[in-house]
Each structure stands twice: as structure tokens, then as C-alpha cells.
């Protein structure tokens, strides 16, 4: 349920992380809390941004990684995502255009995001890619009710209250200052307040302890927030509560709906059905419900605080070696006189990652820069539609499906196929015997030629195999390049894309099962085979 809560608000809070750790104090005459709050609650805007990822492989990365893995690591060392134009309307739908730089590839894109889905059009793509953000309810709540609850949780008043509450609890960072500067935003020079904040990795644990302590002490604000949440959700939940109570009386099975969500484990969230029914009467009483939820949060906070204090500083540094002075978060927020966020820069850098990544990663750096204008005014989106033929990323979709969506000359196709090798197959085939075994689909050797059933081609090499009973032919199709090989029973002639080529061995039929010469098929499709006489195996690479 939490997965779709106001993405732009969460993003704004992350950008402001080093700054919101400021408590309630003003700095340089500027109310920083108010500035951060206003920045995180913009309802519409236009803008642009650049996100840069820099990764440095660890000391064991080259030694342990295969050649393919080393190629992938090289590609991921530096990635740039440029949003040249961003539009967000009052309904929090977002459209954007821009490009991605990865290795030697520059890939233009267009995106359109709603609460239900993300549509992405990449240059060279035949169809847009769709990511479904709606997921069926995994708990006992009906899907329609889940959607209504999510909409309530994303409502502006509650999100504003939540943001304000969290900002209030956060402690002071090690470095925070405010300066008046002149900056260019969307071609216009503006007089802005620059709020600069920094946090080192060494400060994070102490700050976390202070945050949890502040949360535990601010009972009044916490209860007020819980009360707002109750008033928001109870009118929707009330009919369902009555239904559960009635179902229980009628002897029908009732399950705890909280078991279906990834929330912290507390007695309430993990209670059995019988205990859960007992909780339903409590939920009808507003004051009692607030007390119960408040107690659960306090209990969880105590567990977290005890866990943080139970670990000595030396233990924490050994467990989390990257929490040191070389790990830093820096942020600059530029706000105008009306407290609107007009520009931002965020830099996150983590070093000493060899231990936690087992030598795969030495350091990582993420830089995010953005400019914003036309805030809280009407904004026109650039829509992007997806029809029924769109490529929906879901279970069952293969790398070949993704690759075939792009033209062979496109940068995406070259990146996926040549650099990442997503369509490559490497299969080790063990030859258990040299001769054909009756009533068996196992491969065998015939006059020194390895013969495999056609099902091996489809199941292990992802090739399409069609049988024509009337013509007594088998057609093998490579779904990536659409190359076709046609074989006829009893004939050593193959037709490769219509061209006749002679094979070492004809296709054989044994008890209704067709066996084809493996090396010929693989070689014609651009792959290779390697025979290991000692292991009696064939390494297939395609």
C-alpha cells in the first residue's frame, strides 16, 4: 500500500535529507523547516534534472567476475540520466523527455507516469514499455478498498501532516548554513536563499538515535497524526470491519489483513485471526484505537533504540565500515522569497564498501541536480499512450522479448545484445551415452555427430520449432534475428533463410521424436560448440 505514496514528495524529502535534520531552529534568519516543508509539498511544476551514477569496482571484482560480469561492471561505472523537460500536474501525473548516457550509447527517452503505470518510450523501440504500478491485494482487503485507502493516504492534508511531523523530529546536522545568492533557473537570474547542509556517515547512527528518541518523546504530535490517519481511513474501513465481525459470527474464515503487507513485526501486525477479531471492537473506538497504535509505535521505537544503543561504536564500525567520514551526503537547496524550491543539488558518496560488498564495489557516488519553475500553476503534460500491443514488464517476459522490441540499428539493441549480451546462451550438454536409447529423448552420437531432440532447441536455446506433418519438415527459428533453418526427414539438405546447405547428418526420427545435428544448427545461428572428450560433454555458446 505504501509503494505508491506521493513519489515526488518522497523525492523532495530525500534531496533535502541533510537539511531537514535541523530541528526547529532558524538559520541566517530563514525558517529552514518551513522552507523544506514548502519544497516537499509542491503540487505542480516544470523542471529539468540530471542524475549521475559513478561506481568504482572493488579489489576482488576483477578476480572473481567472469568476462561477461566484468563487461557489465564497466558499463555501470558511469551512467548519466538527463531529464531535459519535466512536467508534473496537480494530479501528480508526470511526463518527461531526455536521454541516457551509458558507455558509448546515448539513448533518448520519453516517459509518462500516473498512479497506475509508467510508460516508457526508448529511441529505437517498436512499442512503448509499460510498468504496472497496481498490484493485487495480497491481504484480506478487497482490491477496490485497497485502492481507495491508497488514495486517502496520498491526499494532500495527510501528506503535509506526515511531512511536518517527520521534519519536526529530525535533529541538527553537523553542518548547516544559509546564504543569499543569485542563480540562473530556466534562463532567468533569481535572488535565492541557498541552504547548504552536510552529513557524514559517522553522524548517521547518533542522528538516528536522536530521531527515535524525539519521536518517542513527542506524544502529543504522534497521537495527533494517528488521529488524522484514523479520521481519514475509518469511514472507508468501517463497513469492512462490520463484515469481518459478521463473517466470524457465521463461522467463516477471517484472516489478519496486515499479514499481507511488508510492515514491521509487532504484536498487532502478526496477530492470528482470533486475536484480530478481538481487535475489531477496539477499532470502533477512536480514542482507544489511537492509544493502541501509539503504544505499538512506541514499542517498536523502544526495540529500535535498544538495538542502536546495544551496539558499541566499534561493533557498528565493523558491521557498517562505510559509516565513516569519507561517506558524506551534501545538499544545496535554493528557495525564493515565497519558500518555493527553485534549484537543488544533492551529492551522496560512500567509500570503504569492499567489506559489505565482498570486494565487488569499492565506492559509489550519486549526484542529482535540478531546476524547477512554474510551481503550483497549471501545467500541461506531454502524454504518452500505450495500446494493447505495448511491452508490459511482468512475469514470464524474456530477454528475447525485450530485445526484439528494438530495431537492430538502435543504441538500445546494441547495448542489450552486444554489450550486455542478454540474449546469449551458454549450455553444458552431458552425453550419457553414444547410442540412441529406446523411448528416450536423450541426445546421442550418430556417426560422430551429436544429435539432440528438437525439444532441446526450444527448452534450452530458446529457439522456436515448428513441425509440418504434411511436408515432413521441421522449421527452426531464432527469435532474436528471425533466421530460419528448415530440415526435411531423411535429407541432408537444409534450407537456411532459403539457401540450400549440406549437413553432415540428416534429421532423424526415432519413435516419433525428431533428432537434429546440434553443431550444424548452433553454428548456422551464429553460435559454437566445443567437445570435451574426457567429460563426454558439449559446451554450447550462442
Amino acid at each position: 500500500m505504501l509503494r505508491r505514496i506521493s513519489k515526488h514528495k518522497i523525492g523532495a524529502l530525500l534531496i533535502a535529507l541533510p537539511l531537514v535534520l535541523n530541528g526547529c531552529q532558524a538559520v541566517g534568519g530563514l525558517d529552514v523547516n518551513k522552507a523544506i516543508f514548502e519544497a516537499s509539498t509542491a503540487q505542480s511544476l516544470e523542471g529539468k534534472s540530471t542524475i549521475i551514477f559513478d561506481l568504482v569496482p572493488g579489489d576482488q571484482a576483477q578476480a572473481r567476475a567472469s568476462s561477461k560480469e566484468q563487461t557489465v561492471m564497466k558499463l555501470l561505472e558511469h551512467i548519466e540520466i538527463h531529464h531535459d523537460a519535466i512536467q508534473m500536474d496537480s494530479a501528480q501525473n508526470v511526463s518527461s523527455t531526455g536521454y541516457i548516457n551509458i558507455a558509448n550509447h546515448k539513448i533518448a527517452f520519453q516517459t509518462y507516469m500516473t498512479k497506475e503505470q509508467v510508460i516508457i518510450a526508448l529511441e529505437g523501440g517498436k512499442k512503448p514499455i509499460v510498468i504496472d504500478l497496481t498490484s493485487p491485494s495480497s491481504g484480506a482487503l478487497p482490491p477496490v478498498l485497497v485502492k481507495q485507502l491508497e488514495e486517502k493516504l496520498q491526499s494532500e492534508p495527510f501528506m503535509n501532516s506526515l511531512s511536518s511531523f517527520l521534519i519536526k523530529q529530525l535533529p541538527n546536522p553537523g553542518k548547516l548554513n544559509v546564504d543569499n545568492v543569485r542563480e540562473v533557473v530556466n534562463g532567468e537570474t533569481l535572488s535565492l536563499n541557498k541552504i547548504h547542509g552536510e552529513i557524514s556517515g559517522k553522524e548517521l547512527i547518533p542522528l538516528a538515535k536522536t530521531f527515535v528518541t524525539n519521536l518517542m518523546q513527542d506524544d502529543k504530535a504522534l497521537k495527533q497524526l494517528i488521529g488524522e490517519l484514523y479520521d481519514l481511513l475509518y469511514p472507508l474501513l468501517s463497513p469492512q470491519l462490520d463484515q469481518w465481525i459478521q463473517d466470524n459470527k457465521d463461522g467463516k474464515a477471517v484472516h489478519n489483513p496486515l499479514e499481507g503487507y511488508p510492515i514491521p513485526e509487532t504484536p498487532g501486525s502478526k496477530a492470528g485471526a482470533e486475536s484480530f477479531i478481538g481487535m475489531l471492537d477496539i477499532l470502533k473506538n477512536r480514542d482507544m484505537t489511537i492509544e493502541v497504535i501509539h503504544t505499538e509505535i512506541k514499542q517498536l521505537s523502544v526495540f529500535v533504540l535498544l538495538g542502536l544503543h546495544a551496539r558499541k561504536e566499534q561493533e557498528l564500525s565493523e558491521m557498517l565500515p562505510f559509516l565513516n567520514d569519507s561517506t558524506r551526503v551534501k545538499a544545496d537547496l535554493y528557495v525564493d522569497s515565497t519558500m518555493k524550491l527553485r534549484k537543488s543539488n544533492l551529492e551522496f558518496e560512500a567509500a570503504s564498501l569492499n567489506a559489505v560488498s565482498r570486494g565487488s564495489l569499492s565506492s559509489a557516488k550519486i549526484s542529482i541536480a535540478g531546476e524547477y519553475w512554474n510551481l503550483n500553476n497549471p501545467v500541461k503534460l506531454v502524454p504518452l499512450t500505450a495500446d494493447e500491443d505495448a511491452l508490459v514488464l511482468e512475469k514470464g517476459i524474456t530477454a528475447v522479448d525485450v530485445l526484439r522490441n528494438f530495431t537492430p540499428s538502435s543504441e538500445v539493441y546494441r547495448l542489450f545484445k552486444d554489450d550486455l549480451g542478454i540474449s546469449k546462451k551458454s549450455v553444458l550438454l552431458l552425453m550419457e551415452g553414444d547410442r540412441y536409447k529406446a523411448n528416450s529423448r536423450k541426445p546421442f552420437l550418430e556417426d560422430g555427430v551429436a544429435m539432440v531432440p528438437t525439444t532441446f532447441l526450444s527448452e534450452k536455446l530458446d529457439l522456436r520449432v515448428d513441425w509440418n506433418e504434411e511436408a515432413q519438415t521441421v522449421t527452426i527459428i531464432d527469435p532474436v534475428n528471425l533466421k530460419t533453418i528448415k530440415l526435411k526427414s531423411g535429407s541432408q539438405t537444409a534450407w537456411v533463410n532459403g539457401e540450400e546447405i549440406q549437413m553432415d547428418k540428416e534429421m532423424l526420427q526415432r519413435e516419433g521424436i525428431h533428432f537434429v545435428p546440434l553443431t550444424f544448427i548452433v553454428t548456422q545461428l551464429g553460435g559454437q560448440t566445443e567437445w570435451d572428450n574426457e567429460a563426454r560433454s558439449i559446451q554450447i555458446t550462442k
Side-chain angles (χ1 to χ4, degrees), residues 28-53:
L30 179 71
D31 187 339
V32 177
N33 275 357
K34 183 176 181 182
I36 302 304
F37 177 77
E38 292 294 334
S40 67
T41 55
Q43 295 304 300
S44 61
L45 59 80
E46 293 182 73
K48 61 182 180 180
S49 72
T50 299
I51 306 173
I52 300 176
F53 299 90

Side-chain angles (χ1 to χ4, degrees), residues 318-364:
E318 292 176 357
M319 291 173 56
L320 306 170
F322 56 90
L323 293 184
N324 51 42
D325 288 333
S326 61
T327 295
R328 304 195 67 82
V329 182
K330 302 178 183 179
D332 293 315
L333 293 190
Y334 299 82
V335 298
D336 60 20
S337 58
T338 63
M339 299 293 189
K340 290 187 177 71
L341 179 66
R342 305 305 304 273
K343 194 172 184 176
S344 65
N345 293 306
L346 171 69
E347 185 177 294
F348 170 76
E349 186 171 8
S352 305
L353 298 178
N354 273 303
V356 292
S357 67
R358 296 183 179 180
S360 298
L361 189 63
S362 174
S363 65

Side-chain angles (χ1 to χ4, degrees), residues 129-195:
I129 298 171
V130 177
I131 302 173
D132 187 8
L133 299 180
T134 61
S135 59
S137 173
S138 57
L141 294 174
V144 174
L145 179 57
V146 170
K147 183 177 180 180
Q148 292 174 336
L149 292 174
E150 289 172 342
E151 291 174 351
K152 287 289 187 180
L153 288 172
Q154 294 177 46
S155 65
E156 180 182 352
F158 177 71
M159 287 304 301
N160 289 348
S161 296
L162 179 61
S163 300
S164 178
F165 174 76
L166 293 176
I167 291 172
K168 182 182 177 183
Q169 310 309 321
L170 292 165
N172 297 330
K175 186 175 182 180
L176 182 71
N177 56 64
V178 176
D179 295 303
N180 187 263
V181 297
R182 295 186 68 79
E183 291 284 331
V184 177
V185 177
N186 192 33
E188 181 183 3
T189 302
L190 303 174
S191 177
L192 302 171
N193 286 307
K194 174 186 175 182
I195 311 170

Side-chain angles (χ1 to χ4, degrees), residues 228-241:
E228 289 185 35
L229 183 64
Y230 182 92
D231 295 337
L232 196 69
L233 302 183
Y234 182 75
L236 285 175
L237 285 172
S238 181
Q240 183 64 57
L241 299 179

Side-chain angles (χ1 to χ4, degrees), residues 43-46 85-97 110-114 378-384:
Q43 295 304 300
S44 61
L45 59 80
E46 293 182 73
I86 302 171
Q87 303 85 22
M88 183 181 76
D89 64 14
S90 57
Q92 297 172 16
N93 300 314
V94 181
S95 62
S96 69
T97 55
Q110 179 182 355
T111 68
Y112 187 75
M113 181 174 66
T114 67
V379 172
K380 184 176 181 181
L381 302 184
V382 180
L384 181 62

Side-chain angles (χ1 to χ4, degrees), residues 404 413 417 477-484 497 524-526 542:
R404 287 188 60 191
Y413 188 94
K417 186 176 187 297
I477 304 173
D478 187 329
V480 176
N481 55 30
L482 299 182
K483 194 171 187 178
T484 63
N497 282 351
Q524 289 300 318
L525 296 179
K542 174 184 171 295

Side-chain angles (χ1 to χ4, degrees), residues 420-527:
L420 295 177
I422 67 171
S423 64
K424 289 183 178 178
K425 303 289 291 186
S426 181
V427 179
L428 182 65
L429 175 61
L430 298 176
M431 303 294 291
E432 297 181 10
D434 291 348
R435 298 181 178 181
Y436 169 73
K437 293 182 180 180
N439 301 313
S440 170
R441 292 180 179 271
K442 293 182 179 180
F444 61 92
L445 294 176
E446 181 81 5
D447 298 331
V449 177
M451 306 295 291
V452 297
T454 54
T455 51
F456 176 85
L457 302 179
S458 57
E459 293 173 0
K460 300 298 183 181
L461 300 181
D462 294 334
L463 301 176
R464 177 181 165 188
V465 179
D466 294 329
W467 165 249
N468 187 316
E469 178 71 29
E470 183 178 352
Q472 292 290 294
T473 59
V474 165
T475 302
I476 302 163
I477 304 173
D478 187 329
V480 176
N481 55 30
L482 299 182
K483 194 171 187 178
T484 63
I485 301 174
K486 183 177 288 188
L487 310 176
K488 187 175 180 64
S489 293
S491 173
Q492 285 188 236
T493 301
W495 291 265
V496 181
N497 282 351
E499 179 185 354
E500 291 188 10
I501 299 178
Q502 293 300 306
M503 300 183 292
D504 293 333
K505 192 69 181 175
E506 72 275 14
M507 179 175 65
L508 302 176
Q509 186 172 353
R510 296 287 188 269
E511 298 171 290
I513 302 172
H514 292 89
F515 291 83
V516 297
L518 173 66
T519 298
F520 176 83
I521 300 297
V522 172
T523 303
Q524 289 300 318
L525 296 179

Side-chain angles (χ1 to χ4, degrees), residues 167-381:
I167 291 172
K168 182 182 177 183
Q169 310 309 321
L170 292 165
N172 297 330
K175 186 175 182 180
L176 182 71
N177 56 64
V178 176
D179 295 303
N180 187 263
V181 297
R182 295 186 68 79
E183 291 284 331
V184 177
V185 177
N186 192 33
E188 181 183 3
T189 302
L190 303 174
S191 177
L192 302 171
N193 286 307
K194 174 186 175 182
I195 311 170
H196 174 79
E198 294 184 25
I199 300 175
S200 71
K202 204 169 184 179
E203 294 176 85
L204 288 177
I205 296 299
L207 287 171
K209 293 177 181 178
T210 305
F211 169 72
V212 177
T213 301
N214 290 348
L215 188 147
M216 292 176 62
Q217 292 175 343
D218 199 353
D219 283 335
K220 182 178 179 181
L222 179 57
K223 288 184 177 180
Q224 182 177 340
L225 182 67
I226 296 170
E228 289 185 35
L229 183 64
Y230 182 92
D231 295 337
L232 196 69
L233 302 183
Y234 182 75
L236 285 175
L237 285 172
S238 181
Q240 183 64 57
L241 299 179
D242 292 336
Q243 183 63 52
W244 278 329
I245 292 174
Q246 186 60 48
D247 286 347
N248 185 61
K249 291 179 179 178
D250 295 340
K252 297 179 181 178
V254 178
H255 303 285
N256 184 350
L258 299 180
E259 291 178 349
Y261 296 96
I263 59 178
E265 182 170 342
T266 64
S269 65
K270 298 302 176 183
E274 186 176 340
S275 299
F276 174 67
I277 289 296
M279 294 166 54
L280 296 182
D281 287 331
I282 296 177
L283 293 175
K284 290 179 172 293
N285 186 310
R286 184 181 187 276
D287 292 339
M288 191 176 296
T289 299
I290 292 174
E291 285 296 333
V292 169
I293 297 176
H294 172 264
T295 301
E296 291 260 334
I297 294 175
K298 291 288 287 284
Q299 183 183 34
L300 180 61
S301 300
V302 169
F303 291 155
V304 172
L305 197 59
L306 288 175
L308 290 173
H309 281 285
R311 298 286 185 179
K312 296 180 180 179
E313 187 173 336
Q314 180 64 28
E315 289 181 287
L316 289 172
S317 64
E318 292 176 357
M319 291 173 56
L320 306 170
F322 56 90
L323 293 184
N324 51 42
D325 288 333
S326 61
T327 295
R328 304 195 67 82
V329 182
K330 302 178 183 179
D332 293 315
L333 293 190
Y334 299 82
V335 298
D336 60 20
S337 58
T338 63
M339 299 293 189
K340 290 187 177 71
L341 179 66
R342 305 305 304 273
K343 194 172 184 176
S344 65
N345 293 306
L346 171 69
E347 185 177 294
F348 170 76
E349 186 171 8
S352 305
L353 298 178
N354 273 303
V356 292
S357 67
R358 296 183 179 180
S360 298
L361 189 63
S362 174
S363 65
K365 182 179 179 181
I366 302 174
S367 303
I368 305 174
E371 296 179 16
Y372 319 98
W373 59 90
N374 199 25
L375 282 83
N376 297 332
N377 292 321
V379 172
K380 184 176 181 181
L381 302 184

